[in-house]
Amino acid sequence: MASRTPSPRPVGAVTRGTTNPNRLRRMDRWIAAAHGPELRRSGDPVAVDLGYGAAPWTAVELLGRLRTAAPAAEVVGIEIEPARVAAAKPYERAGLAFRHGGFEVPLPDSRRPALIRAANVLRQYDEGEVAGVWARLCGRLAPGGLLVEGTCDEIGRRHVWVALGVEGPRTVTFATRLGSLERPSDLAERLPKALIHRNVPGEPVHAFLRDFDRAWAAAAPYASLGARQRWIKAVRDLSADWPLADGERRWRQGEVTVNWAALQPRTG
């Protein structure tokens, strides 16, 4: 009998696996709004939920939210821990599958994903490893594809993510449940790995959060109209000095998206 060639070892490390239903709702809704048109145009609108964790909730929810924007969308959940894949298999159905793998993003039939979402995956890695992981994941994308990589708290109230195309990082999005926000810099604890250690004086992300706090304080009179109106006012004032990539429709959701070039870490 011919010997069987072993499968390549998945690239990456096992994460804690912490997950909760609805944890990634803010990221999912942004993806559906920002990338939905590209998914609808795609001849193979397959999305990858990379490192979905100990339970498959985030992959199940991603499929439902993407299909509001792209009815033909499919989702493949990929996990480096085999036991998590086995536990997710009973949830498979048309358009939803689970596979063992890592940053190599193994998909059958040489498929290339139109979307890779990697939430709360890179927190355990060194900052110096992020660029290489980003490049590897972006190299797996289909033309016009998007990588969304970021971090959120355990119940999804605060979330920050970077959106990348095949050319590299494009934007950074800050999203929050406005009723629980004391000041915008509260989001600093959820900065993705590429930025969290750069929230220090002299770095652009620190200056951005400083200016955001000042705009939030100046918008205090709008608090009587509700936290949403205060946020919109603060973001509108912030846009005078920072290159924002969205508008009031997204601001009303408790979001603001900034061009990556304005926040990227200084070299050295």
Side-chain angles (χ1 to χ4, degrees):
M1 175 182 286
S3 61
R4 180 182 177 186
T5 301
S7 300
R9 183 177 179 179
V11 178
V14 177
T15 65
R16 290 192 308 157
T18 304
T19 189
N20 283 303
N22 256 343
R23 186 182 188 188
L24 302 182
R25 61 194 180 277
R26 301 183 195 283
M27 179 185 272
D28 289 352
R29 291 167 185 164
W30 182 88
I31 291 171
H35 198 51
E38 185 64 39
L39 287 171
R40 287 194 298 273
R41 289 190 293 268
S42 173
D44 187 20
V46 60
V48 166
D49 186 9
L50 183 62
Y52 58 83
W57 317 135
T58 61
V60 173
E61 292 166 353
L62 179 61
L63 178 64
R65 290 169 184 145
L66 289 183
R67 284 190 166 176
T68 65
E74 300 177 33
V75 170
V76 178
I78 293 179
E79 248 296 337
I80 201 168
E81 172 53 64
R84 296 174 185 173
V85 180
K89 284 290 185 179
Y91 294 87
E92 290 189 331
R93 59 177 187 267
L96 179 64
F98 296 92
R99 294 179 64 88
H100 180 223
F103 295 144
E104 76 282 5
V105 190
L107 293 180
D109 304 319
S110 301
R111 299 176 80 183
R112 299 177 75 84
L115 168 73
I116 299 174
R117 184 189 66 182
N120 304 302
V121 171
L122 296 187
R123 292 281 281 192
Q124 68 185 21
Y125 289 81
D126 291 335
E127 181 184 354
E129 297 177 274
V130 171
V133 173
W134 279 358
R136 183 169 197 138
L137 295 179
C138 287
R140 288 288 293 121
L141 291 171
L146 191 72
L147 165 64
V148 181
E149 187 273 309
T151 306
C152 69
D153 66 2
E154 286 73 12
I155 58 175
R157 293 171 304 174
R158 297 172 186 166
H159 207 152
V160 187
W161 60 81
V162 181
L164 306 93
V166 293
E167 78 285 359
R170 297 174 178 172
T171 60
V172 184
T173 299
F174 299 78
T176 187
R177 180 180 179 273
L178 292 171
S180 67
L181 187 73
E182 291 189 18
R183 61 185 64 84
S185 60
D186 291 346
L187 285 157
E189 64 185 18
R190 298 302 163 183
L191 287 168
K193 193 67 177 189
L195 294 173
I196 194 165
H197 300 301
R198 301 303 184 120
N199 186 30
V200 293
E203 287 285 347
V205 70
H206 181 272
F208 174 78
L209 290 170
R210 178 203 64 206
D211 289 355
F212 204 169
D213 278 354
R214 289 173 178 171
W216 179 255
Y222 285 76
S224 62
L225 302 175
R228 179 176 287 110
Q229 293 304 315
R230 184 179 182 182
W231 175 270
I232 290 171
K233 170 61 175 172
V235 173
R236 184 177 291 116
D237 290 349
L238 194 66
S239 70
D241 298 308
W242 291 90
L244 305 188
D246 56 3
E248 186 167 331
R249 184 174 182 180
R250 301 311 306 174
W251 302 345
R252 292 183 62 82
Q253 306 301 314
E255 296 173 9
V256 60
T257 297
V258 191
N259 290 334
W260 167 259
L263 300 186
Q264 65 180 340
R266 298 190 187 281
T267 57

